[in-house]
Amino acid sequence: MIKIISVIMGCICASFTSFAFIPTKAEMLYGVDFQGGSYRETEERKIYYSERVVDKYENPYRAPTFGAGKVNGCAVDAGGNAFIYYDRLYDDLVPDYKHKYVFGKFNYGTHNNGITNMFNDLYARMDTVEQGTSVDGFLKGMRSYADSRGHSITLEKVTGSFYNTNYTYIQEQLKQEKVAAIFMSGFSISSVGGPSKRDGYDYVLENIYSGHHVMLVYGYDDYYYYDSNGKLIERDTYFYASTGYVGLDRALLNIGMYGNVDDIYLIDIK
């Protein structure tokens, strides 16, 4: 189903269901079936404005988009792709895997047995079950796997007051080519190309999902919209994310609409 809403001079002329109920994290398992098992609907948004200012950063290495092929294994996917991301710096993180350069450009290559073995190992270390993975299981598994490869890992919790994120600090850390695991209850993703600029407005196609999901963040895209008097009327805030979905395997994740940020952890490996 496709709905159309408009944002005119800061007023959103539509309503949508919020995801207010969040179980305790001790009970919550994060797992959304691979290939979009929790898809709800698509919405078209039109944002009318006089001026827009964009603050963005996209990691030049982006983030890998491999999958473990496990039911509700999104936490394993996000954590495993973080290890593949850092394998470009520490080639022993994922045994029997090697990134490539194609015509001089960096490439993560293709899924091989080394990646499969790493995902299987991580699945066990995270205590993942068919229903998903807990936050504590994710953190335990990440630390255990890094230690098994002879590396230290920092998992820094960066929740805060801006849509439950310490957004300014996260921006600074992402620009240092770190990545982050984000835990969502409900979420919306759109094309990495960002809002399409039309005559007098921006057009955004939002793919909206329910369920508890984990993604790997590797950049941000922040849009400020002003009216003719220079007044801020709308702000759309996105993270670039490796999503775990076919079709939009890398996407912009809207953290201010259609879902809640439950947890977010910056990941750094030495």
Side-chain angles (χ1 to χ4, degrees), residues 3-251:
K3 295 194 295 185
I4 299 178
I5 67 175
S6 296
V7 180
I8 305 175
M9 296 305 177
C11 299
I12 302 177
C13 303
S15 64
F16 52 85
T17 302
S18 64
F19 298 85
F21 174 73
I22 305 176
T24 64
K25 290 181 175 60
E27 300 171 342
M28 186 180 297
L29 295 178
Y30 289 82
V32 172
D33 283 337
F34 191 61
Q35 299 186 16
S38 64
Y39 170 78
R40 286 180 53 215
E41 61 186 336
T42 297
E43 279 195 358
E44 295 178 319
R45 299 176 56 227
K46 294 180 180 180
I47 307 168
Y48 292 86
Y49 63 93
S50 292
E51 181 185 4
R52 75 172 185 180
V53 176
V54 183
D55 178 19
K56 67 187 299 178
Y57 170 77
E58 184 177 7
N59 188 316
Y61 298 100
R62 300 186 295 178
T65 59
F66 299 109
K70 307 287 190 182
V71 174
N72 290 326
C74 57
V76 179
D77 291 350
N81 279 313
F83 286 119
I84 296 168
Y85 171 81
Y86 281 106
D87 188 80
R88 79 186 203 285
L89 300 177
Y90 311 107
D91 196 40
D92 56 349
L93 269 176
V94 183
D96 304 318
Y97 161 76
K98 180 69 178 177
H99 59 267
K100 300 178 180 179
Y101 283 86
V102 180
F103 300 114
K105 296 185 67 174
F106 178 85
N107 187 284
Y108 286 106
T110 56
H111 194 134
N112 66 2
N113 288 335
I115 291 175
T116 296
N117 293 336
M118 177 273 296
F119 276 133
N120 289 340
D121 190 0
L122 203 53
Y123 185 93
R125 292 177 188 271
M126 287 185 181
D127 297 326
T128 300
V129 295
E130 287 190 359
Q131 292 75 33
T133 311
S134 68
V135 173
D136 287 344
F138 174 85
L139 299 175
K140 178 180 75 73
M142 293 293 286
R143 293 185 180 110
S144 175
Y145 183 87
D147 183 66
S148 76
R149 302 306 309 157
H151 289 271
S152 62
I153 185 170
T154 301
L155 296 158
E156 182 181 4
K157 186 181 178 76
V158 283
T159 53
S161 59
F162 185 73
Y163 298 113
N164 201 30
T165 71
N166 187 346
Y167 189 70
T168 300
Y169 178 69
I170 294 170
Q171 287 178 306
E172 295 169 355
Q173 297 302 302
L174 290 173
K175 286 189 285 189
Q176 294 181 33
E177 296 184 355
K178 295 179 184 178
V179 292
I182 189 166
F183 296 77
M184 301 288 298
S185 292
F187 59 97
S188 166
I189 54 177
S190 56
S191 167
V192 291
S196 175
K197 194 171 184 178
R198 305 288 176 88
D199 186 15
Y201 66 92
D202 272 8
Y203 175 84
V204 187
L205 195 65
E206 303 269 8
N207 300 287
I208 305 167
Y209 297 81
S210 58
H212 308 303
H213 192 41
V214 189
M215 288 169 271
L216 189 64
V217 168
Y218 62 93
Y220 65 86
D221 211 348
D222 211 3
Y223 287 78
Y224 296 81
Y225 296 98
Y226 299 88
D227 65 14
S228 58
N229 296 316
K231 179 183 177 181
L232 180 67
I233 54 174
E234 178 75 6
R235 180 183 178 183
D236 274 12
T237 304
Y238 304 89
F239 284 128
Y240 287 95
S242 172
T243 66
Y245 283 96
V246 171
L248 283 177
D249 53 356
R250 292 188 183 97

